Amino acid sequence: MVPATSNHSHSKGEAASERSAAPRPSSEDRLTALTEQLHGLLENAISTPGRWHMLLDTSATLWRYSGGNIALLMAQMEERGQQQPLLVAGFREWERHGRNVVKGEHALWVLAPRTAPKNTDVEPGGDAKTGSSAAEHASSGDEQGDRRRIVGWRTQAVFDVSQTEGQPIYIPRPMQGIGSSPAGLWPSLVKFAQRKGFTVEESMSQYGMSSGYTDFANKKIQIGAWLGPEQRLAVLAHELGHVCLHGPDDQLGQLYGSGLDHRGLAEVEAESVAYTVLRAHGIDRSAESGSYLAGWADQVLAVEQASTAGSASEKGPTSRLEIARTTLARVTSACRSILEVTDPDNLGGKPATASMVVAFDRGDLTGPVNGHEATDLAPKIDAS
């Protein structure tokens, strides 16, 4: 998901610097470079599984963005030796919030879709092929998007709040009992399940004595009644990952291997969703989710090997890169759909509107929150 901003590509200071230093790359060159960078990030996440964990951590902050753009934003800030992005918007959007990009700051670049009405013919070859999945840029409940189709890709310049100055702006901190806190997380997760047509019940006679089980035939999610409050939240979020991604009509999952033939990858997807959703609400499940997340790369390779051996769908993916890209797109899309209902107070990486600030009733803060200021704040857990 990319913020609706103008194509203003840089601040005045950056423009002058670029003119004096080197010619600006063409749009096509920049698009190719961003695509190659994204592919490299995904390959690195397979060879270094801890990078998948880091991607999920950043996704918990920037959950309103697509998986590919989350990876690109994280990497660009790392390259500059800066803190992870908190709130990201385009040049003109920051101006609308009363803030200006600091002179000399260089833009962060993301991928944005070019769209056209579904009944419009588009000249073939009009846009460079990026390899980015349309699923990465799908926006939940976007009626306009339902009437349009992606016909190509372009690059878009954005800036993190740490690169701006001006009017005070709301930057949320995870604090106990404030706003949309974890105290209301259980009912909001149940509400999401109900919107998907599922009932949630706690049972001591759990299927196979597992902590959680999703029954697609009867549209029912069972949660072990013996679990503690935080465990129940984590298990319900995990099962909702299955609800979003692994139903019998999951044609995309069947295509690339996240189905019954490769249940391991499906479990990693569901746990990735659970980890990110809880992290967005200030609950850190790193230790509990570690074995799932560390095994992500192994599962990607297993699917690739099975595909090579011919046991996957004939139209299945041919490379681990395609599998990794699809997994990231699916996980971040599922997280976004859940978090739009559970409504954490971290905003998802987009600056707050005036109405959002009033709803949080927390006041404005000037400047970005440093990472260490937002840690060690144990939220109240209510899974009743």
Side-chain angles (χ1 to χ4, degrees), residues 3 5 65 87-91 93-94 97 157-161 349 351:
T5 60
Y65 285 80
L87 301 175
V88 181
F91 188 93
E93 187 173 352
W94 280 126
H97 285 274
V158 294
F159 299 86
D160 182 59
V161 65

Side-chain angles (χ1 to χ4, degrees), residues 9-204:
S9 62
H10 43 61
S11 65
K12 293 180 180 179
E14 184 186 350
S17 174
E18 287 183 352
R19 283 194 299 268
S20 60
R24 289 180 58 193
S26 68
S27 298
E28 292 77 11
D29 289 343
R30 199 186 298 276
L31 185 62
T32 299
L34 273 183
T35 302
E36 291 176 350
Q37 183 180 25
L38 178 56
H39 290 177
L41 292 169
L42 292 172
E43 289 280 8
N44 188 29
I46 298 172
S47 60
T48 310
R51 296 293 296 179
W52 179 249
H53 208 148
M54 294 176 66
L55 273 173
L56 296 182
D57 285 341
T58 308
S59 298
T61 300
L62 304 180
W63 56 267
R64 294 188 186 276
Y65 285 80
S66 73
N69 282 335
I70 289 168
L72 289 171
L73 289 168
M74 181 182 77
Q76 289 172 75
M77 293 292 276
E78 281 183 347
E79 289 173 354
R80 302 175 188 188
Q82 297 173 317
Q83 67 178 20
Q84 289 301 303
L86 292 172
L87 301 175
V88 181
F91 188 93
R92 295 301 184 194
E93 187 173 352
W94 280 126
E95 287 187 333
R96 289 194 292 272
H97 285 274
R99 296 183 71 83
N100 297 303
V101 174
V102 175
K103 182 178 180 180
E105 287 288 345
H106 293 270
L108 302 166
W109 292 92
V110 295
L111 295 169
R114 295 184 186 275
T115 64
K118 287 187 176 180
N119 60 353
T120 300
D121 292 330
V122 178
E123 289 293 329
D127 291 282
K129 183 177 180 181
T130 69
S132 292
S133 169
E136 293 183 23
H137 298 274
S139 174
S140 301
D142 187 348
E143 294 181 2
Q144 182 178 2
D146 292 339
R147 299 193 299 268
R148 301 182 69 83
R149 61 193 177 95
I150 295 175
V151 297
W153 306 92
R154 61 184 173 86
T155 59
Q156 183 167 344
V158 294
F159 299 86
D160 182 59
V161 65
S162 62
Q163 300 175 282
T164 68
E165 59 186 3
Q167 292 296 319
I169 191 168
Y170 176 77
I171 302 176
R173 306 169 188 249
M175 297 180 66
Q176 180 174 338
I178 300 295
S180 183
S181 71
L185 184 52
W186 176 266
S188 65
L189 290 175
V190 171
K191 179 181 179 180
F192 180 83
Q194 292 171 342
R195 288 188 178 184
K196 290 291 188 177
F198 284 75
T199 59
V200 178
E201 66 177 37
E202 298 177 60
S203 174
M204 291 297 293

